[in-house]
Amino acid sequence: MTTTTSLDRPAAPQPFQRVSGARKLKDWVATILVGLAFVVAVIPLVWLLVTVITSGYRALMSSAWWTHSLKGVLPEEFAGGVYHAIIGSLLQSLVCAVIAVPVGVLAAIYLVEYGRGRVARMTTFMVDILSGVPSIVAALFIFALWIGTLGFQQSGFAVSLALVLLMLPVVVRSTEEMLRLVPQELREAAYALGVPKWKTIVRIVLPTAMSGIVTGVMLALARVMGETAPVLVLVGYSRSMNFNIFNGNMTSLPLLIYSELNNPTPAGQLRIWGAALTLIILVMSFNLVAVALSRFSAIKTK
Amino acid sequence: MIGAMSDPLGNSLPARRPTVRRPGDTIFQFLTTASGLAIVLSIVLIGVFLLLKAVPSLAADQANFLLSPNFVTTGGKLAFGIRDLFVVTVLSSVFALVIAMPVAMGIALFLTQYAPRQLARPFAYIVDLLAAVPSVVFGLWGIKVFGPVLEPLERWLNGNLGWFPLFANGNVSISGGGTIFTAGVVLAVMLLPIITSVSREVFQQTPTMQIEGALALGATRWEMIRTTVIPFGRSGYIAASMLGLGRALGETVAVLIILRSAPEPSRISLFDGGYTFASKIASAASEFTEALPTGAYISAGLVLFVLTFVVNAIARWIAGGRVHRP
Amino acid sequence: MAKRIDIKGLNLYYGRFHAVDNVTLSIPPRNVTAFIGPSGCGKSTVLRSLNRMHEVIPGATVDGKVLLDGEDIYDAGVDPVEVRRTIGMVFQRPNPFPTMSIRDNVVAGLKLAGVRSKSRLEEVCERSLRGANLWEEVKDRLDRPGGGLSGGQQQRLCIARAIAVQPDVLLMDEPCSALDPISTLAIEDLITELKKDYTIVIVTHNMQQAARVSDMTAFFNLSGVGRPGQLVEADDTEKIFSNPGKKETEDYISGRFG
């Protein structure tokens, strides 16, 4: 019987209005979709990592992988290693950092501490533009300048120069952000002690921002290390070791992967995936160091 | 005493007085300013040098540079045009953007509005990890693993929606997945961390007052997001997407590895193969020996440079300086 | 050590904004002079112009003279860095250098000026910390970061840091506004001790504080909305608080506005 329904109804109206069904449904659908979006991002990451690890880990198990080059190794034979490519990657990115970090940090100091008016605005704009320059364009530019105009040979150093263009904006941006986080009061405290502006920046502001700056540099290094376009244009592939960044062919991990791509033998495939895994490990470890460093804030409290 | 100068309204203003400057300050300011200007100079130099090396080749070009689909630089003959490079570049990048934009919006909202506070940071780090994967590895995975998986979907779209030009038969075989479709989806994955991290930052800046105001009026979470977070972050989100587009336009190796070379001109289909500006240049890099053929590729690089310059400048203009690349 | 300051026809600007109009004032040595007045009246701006900190702000300019024992600190041949070594400053919020230990904070001024001698630095460190009434509290943890101290201790650390470079004048910009009453009392006691050796100028919002610590008081006020601030009157603190010369001052002191 339905006569009892009026008794089920509360005597007073509910204190809170119920959210209507349609609104609730929309809210619910939105929540699901947004959660799904995150899952969609995680799937390729996990899939990719699993693929690279399962296809490549066997290569990393051999001790020669870390200690030998591919010198004298036949295409279909699995032997040798990527020591030469690891060294090449590290050397090229380190030389790049040696140039890019001082220039980038100084440019960031200019933007934060000195830059006013039109020149500073133009510099900021150009940093943004530079961060959008595709790596292949940076490589072409260095090719046109260093090899085409100045007459140098292809070399690891030419790669480093192209990487400088890619690393600079990242270093400038992250350093700039960190310098802006340093309270103005600290600068004033130093000025009030009779410390000149440049010394205030070098001895007070930079040390305070240091961990953040180093984090930014590590992230920039990680990005630069994975770049492939410049090595395709600016340096030749070599299967043996070359410590001389200024002369001769020099292999890096991306170049090794790309060059071995057209080797269809199982040994070649294992090499590619092994090199990909090695490259990911290298890049991720720089990332992890960056994250770890960012936890060491310069503001000591204890 | 000091010299007086006038502002536009005619009020006299005191000028900065002459004062002692320490040599250390002068040197340091010079060093920092020079470093800033070096960045400006490098952009100018990129434009100038690419132009310098491109002009002789453009002058010797026997084909229409903008409209020819061919790119012939061998056999002592120069007949190159960028039509197909442009089509493939834009098609793959825009397709990638169409996929990545809604997903990145979802991720950014998830990380800023839905994920529990303690988990938001590690989750964000997971998404950022995507950006740490080198593009050559994306390319490798794309052609060897992901492409073959996409192949049935591509066949289905081609078979059932083939009347729609973008899904019509392309100029390469779908088998193996070496198509713009595959490249676009892989590019989309690569864009996710870029668009997400910038949008996340903007969404996070939504004033708490507005959020609480909306919730206090009885809005559901989604209504609150639609009425406060999204309107607040829209320009930043669009700017982030433009930055992503810039990255997609210039992506080299992943596309180079995935796309199959095409025997005939582009049919403006997602199932085309061919080359983008960047992958074309990279594919020929080992042949950069003579000035004129090299200049042909450099002229393609110049177009790509201008294209990304414009896209990035628009992104900056939309964001009004509020958003920076990660 | 302590020197007198004569401000003559001082006008201060932030870009086009005229912040302070035509201040003329003499500050005697070995005295505490308090600047009081409502918010935005330019008292802090005047204080910051006394050691050329005003010009650190982009677009800020100065017109007029500030004589330190008869020598204009704004003269074209004067190095602002030297001025700031002679005229120290303590800020509203304690701002020890976060990357430095307590010891390094105190001797930062000397170290950055190139003093290397360890024994000299040790000696200055102890003397300055004693001078700031902080020695007993921190002598066992000189190597710990300065940021770990309480707010009041941090402010005394900043005072120790300021007196370590042996200035002639000490400027204090609302040094107690971020502190609790007990720390405030400690700082006020310290100010009374320090005036034996230094010329002290203190900006304060707190009229009781001005009455407690200062020998002379200068009252600043706005001449109108959007108009520059100006010096209304300056006199012995006792006279200002009991029998001020101007009605404006009396209104402010008695709490009728501001």
Side-chain angles (χ1 to χ4, degrees):
Chain A
M1 294 286 120
T2 56
T3 47
T4 54
T5 47
S6 65
L7 294 174
D8 293 338
R9 208 182 290 147
Q14 284 182 319
F16 298 109
Q17 270 191 338
R18 280 269 174 79
V19 175
S20 76
R23 291 175 61 203
K24 222 174 179 177
L25 184 72
K26 260 190 200 165
D27 191 43
W28 185 75
V29 169
T31 308
I32 299 278
L33 284 179
V34 161
L36 268 181
F38 179 69
V39 174
V40 162
V42 174
I43 288 174
L45 179 67
V46 172
W47 188 356
L48 186 147
L49 289 180
V50 167
T51 307
V52 174
I53 293 170
T54 52
S55 323
Y57 80 97
R58 277 193 303 120
L60 275 64
M61 291 294 137
S62 85
S63 65
W65 183 260
W66 304 100
T67 53
H68 287 70
S69 69
L70 290 173
K71 192 176 182 182
V73 175
L74 296 172
E76 68 274 15
E77 163 196 25
F78 188 78
V82 295
Y83 178 53
H84 62 310
I86 296 175
I87 294 294
S89 280
L90 288 176
L91 270 181
Q92 286 166 12
S93 0
L94 286 183
V95 169
C96 157
V98 166
I99 305 171
V101 171
V103 177
V105 170
L106 284 172
I109 291 176
Y110 164 71
L111 287 175
V112 176
E113 310 283 345
Y114 292 103
R116 301 272 172 269
R118 202 176 299 162
V119 180
R121 271 202 303 279
M122 182 161 75
T123 309
T124 314
F125 176 69
M126 287 306 188
V127 171
D128 275 2
I129 293 298
L130 191 58
S131 68
V133 168
S135 51
I136 190 78
V137 171
L140 267 188
F141 163 62
I142 295 298
F143 186 89
L145 172 72
W146 189 251
I147 296 166
T149 305
L150 299 176
F152 291 96
Q153 291 295 308
Q154 288 190 325
S155 68
F157 185 68
V159 174
S160 296
L161 287 179
L163 296 182
V164 164
L165 292 173
L166 304 174
M167 188 173 184
L168 258 181
V170 187
V171 173
V172 175
R173 275 284 160 265
S174 58
T175 307
E176 198 188 343
E177 206 171 293
M178 287 305 137
L179 291 180
R180 288 196 198 283
L181 287 180
V182 175
Q184 193 57 29
E185 300 155 17
L186 288 186
R187 296 183 180 87
E188 297 207 333
Y191 297 152
L193 289 174
V195 181
K197 182 167 181 172
W198 74 272
K199 230 179 206 176
T200 302
I201 295 168
V202 174
R203 300 286 297 275
I204 305 288
V205 179
L206 277 183
T208 307
M210 191 52 82
S211 78
I213 294 174
V214 176
T215 302
V217 168
M218 299 304 281
L219 287 176
L221 266 179
R223 176 185 161 191
V224 151
M225 216 169 273
E227 281 293 350
T228 313
V231 297
L232 296 185
V233 178
L234 294 169
V235 72
Y237 175 60
S238 155
R239 293 170 70 85
S240 52
M241 186 58 148
N242 175 14
F243 283 105
N244 187 351
I245 196 165
F246 294 102
N247 205 344
N249 294 345
M250 186 184 211
T251 299
S252 55
L253 284 167
L255 183 56
L256 184 135
I257 296 171
Y258 185 77
S259 304
E260 295 281 323
L261 256 182
N262 40 25
N263 176 351
T265 64
Q269 295 297 301
L270 181 55
R271 257 200 289 279
I272 299 172
W273 289 111
L277 180 56
T278 312
L279 181 57
I280 287 183
I281 290 173
L282 204 62
V283 169
M284 295 274 175
S285 51
F286 272 83
N287 266 293
L288 285 177
V289 170
V291 172
L293 276 174
S294 70
R295 299 195 190 275
F296 290 104
S297 168
I299 321 284
K300 297 186 216 155
T301 47
K302 287 262 152 60
Chain B
M1 279 316 291
I2 57 148
M5 61 176 190
S6 306
D7 70 6
L9 301 169
N11 302 320
S12 72
L13 289 171
R16 283 233 134 169
R17 300 193 194 196
T19 185
V20 173
R21 274 183 69 84
R22 309 201 140 221
D25 274 328
T26 310
I27 295 167
F28 193 67
Q29 180 166 11
F30 172 78
L31 276 179
T32 60
T33 312
S35 301
L37 290 179
I39 289 171
V40 178
L41 187 69
S42 63
I43 293 285
V44 174
L45 284 182
I46 290 175
V48 167
F49 267 89
L50 293 185
L51 198 61
L52 268 171
K53 294 284 166 184
V55 164
S57 306
L58 286 172
D61 189 3
Q62 290 162 25
N64 185 319
F65 179 62
L66 295 178
L67 296 179
S68 165
N70 300 311
F71 212 99
V72 181
T73 59
T74 47
K77 185 174 168 232
L78 275 188
F80 58 95
I82 55 166
R83 194 200 78 173
D84 273 17
L85 302 184
F86 185 83
V87 168
V88 176
T89 303
V90 172
L91 202 55
S92 58
S93 304
V94 171
F95 180 55
L97 199 64
V98 166
I99 301 173
M101 273 181 78
V103 180
M105 161 82 89
I107 300 170
L109 288 177
F110 175 76
L111 292 176
T112 56
Q113 312 296 327
Y114 286 87
R117 285 226 173 275
Q118 319 84 282
L119 288 180
R121 234 170 194 286
F123 280 1
Y125 183 67
I126 291 175
V127 178
D128 285 344
L129 272 186
L130 271 179
V133 177
S135 56
V136 66
V137 180
F138 268 116
L140 196 58
W141 173 74
I143 193 63
K144 301 223 180 240
V145 181
F146 195 48
V149 171
L150 276 184
E151 192 189 319
L153 173 66
E154 294 184 40
R155 283 197 190 286
W156 185 86
L157 286 172
N158 180 236
N160 293 285
L161 300 170
W163 49 267
F164 185 64
L166 285 181
F167 295 130
N169 285 331
N171 58 8
V172 294
S173 154
I174 289 177
S175 69
T179 58
I180 293 178
F181 189 92
T182 309
V185 178
V186 172
L187 276 177
V189 176
M190 297 172 72
L191 297 190
L192 282 182
I194 300 170
I195 306 179
T196 304
S197 76
V198 179
S199 314
R200 202 178 72 207
E201 214 171 281
V202 185
F203 288 156
Q204 211 130 43
Q205 288 166 5
T206 312
T208 322
M209 295 257 287
Q210 286 186 22
I211 292 177
E212 288 176 349
L215 291 177
L217 288 174
T220 61
R221 175 144 44 178
W222 171 244
E223 287 164 345
M224 177 276 287
I225 289 170
R226 225 189 47 217
T227 53
T228 61
V229 177
I230 291 179
F232 179 85
R234 183 176 289 129
S235 68
Y237 166 67
I238 293 173
S241 306
M242 295 300 282
L243 291 178
L245 179 62
R247 179 66 66 83
L249 291 171
E251 175 48 46
T252 310
V253 184
V255 179
L256 175 60
I257 295 178
I258 291 171
L259 278 190
R260 199 177 276 236
S261 62
E264 44 183 297
S266 161
R267 296 182 190 161
I268 316 190
S269 154
L270 287 175
F271 303 124
D272 277 344
Y275 289 99
T276 64
F277 285 109
S279 70
K280 185 73 185 174
I281 297 164
S283 72
S286 53
E287 296 147 28
F288 287 178
T289 44
E290 283 170 67
L292 279 182
T294 307
Y297 292 96
I298 290 182
S299 59
L302 182 65
V303 175
L304 176 61
F305 175 59
V306 173
L307 205 60
T308 51
F309 191 110
V310 170
V311 168
N312 279 290
I314 292 174
R316 207 188 132 83
W317 175 71
I318 292 173
R322 223 156 47 97
V323 161
H324 290 308
R325 193 173 267 274
Chain C
M1 282 247 301
K3 291 184 176 172
R4 70 178 290 115
I5 301 175
D6 293 289
I7 306 171
K8 292 194 170 161
L10 186 70
N11 284 279
L12 301 171
Y13 305 84
Y14 292 109
R16 273 173 208 171
F17 176 65
H18 191 181
V20 176
D21 185 34
N22 200 19
V23 169
T24 298
L25 172 69
S26 284
I27 296 168
R30 291 196 183 75
N31 251 310
V32 178
T33 303
F35 288 2
I36 60 169
S39 299
C41 67
K43 55 191 189 302
S44 283
T45 308
V46 172
L47 187 83
R48 290 170 59 92
S49 74
L50 298 185
N51 69 342
R52 298 190 64 166
M53 286 296 286
H54 177 63
E55 65 204 72
V56 168
I57 295 162
T61 46
V62 180
D63 183 13
K65 286 187 178 189
V66 176
L67 305 175
L68 185 68
D69 268 4
E71 200 189 332
D72 187 2
I73 63 168
Y74 282 101
D75 201 78
V78 172
D79 183 349
V81 170
E82 289 300 335
V83 170
R84 293 179 201 131
R85 271 183 201 160
T86 321
I87 306 180
M89 190 160 196
V90 176
F91 297 84
Q92 195 165 350
R93 286 214 320 220
N95 51 3
F97 300 126
T99 51
M100 295 184 188
S101 65
I102 292 175
R103 183 201 320 271
D104 286 346
N105 257 290
V106 176
V107 296
L110 292 181
K111 257 192 162 170
L112 292 178
V115 175
R116 292 270 172 274
S117 153
K118 262 206 133 146
S119 55
R120 165 100 198 275
L121 292 176
E122 279 302 316
E123 177 208 320
V124 170
C125 175
E126 177 169 351
R127 194 184 57 221
S128 311
L129 282 172
R130 283 190 190 283
N133 288 342
L134 192 60
W135 176 250
E136 293 301 328
E137 291 159 64
V138 300
K139 65 180 176 191
D140 301 323
R141 46 171 169 161
L142 291 175
D143 291 317
R144 306 276 286 278
L149 299 173
S150 76
Q153 287 173 325
Q154 285 190 19
Q155 192 62 302
R156 276 180 284 150
L157 178 62
C158 292
I159 293 175
R161 182 175 66 186
I163 61 181
V165 292
Q166 296 191 292
D168 299 324
V169 179
L170 209 49
L171 308 176
M172 299 184 159
D173 191 357
E174 301 188 36
C176 303
S177 65
L179 304 181
D180 61 80
I182 292 178
S183 307
T184 299
L185 189 65
I187 303 274
E188 287 181 5
D189 288 346
L190 178 58
I191 292 171
T192 317
E193 275 175 46
L194 288 172
K195 80 172 177 185
K196 282 181 245 154
D197 299 314
Y198 302 96
T199 305
I200 294 176
V201 186
I202 178 171
V203 165
T204 176
H205 255 343
N206 178 333
M207 275 179 288
Q208 286 79 19
Q209 184 170 63
R212 282 195 298 266
V213 300
S214 73
D215 307 295
M216 201 177 100
T217 297
F219 171 59
F220 290 80
N221 200 359
L222 285 168
S223 45
V225 176
R227 307 263 310 141
Q230 57 184 25
L231 176 65
V232 177
E233 66 174 312
D235 213 325
D236 284 346
T237 299
E238 213 169 302
K239 181 155 186 298
I240 290 277
F241 280 89
S242 58
N243 182 22
K246 301 229 165 111
K247 176 144 191 324
E248 223 177 318
T249 316
E250 194 183 340
D251 286 350
Y252 182 71
I253 305 256
S254 58
R256 244 166 271 170
F257 85 101

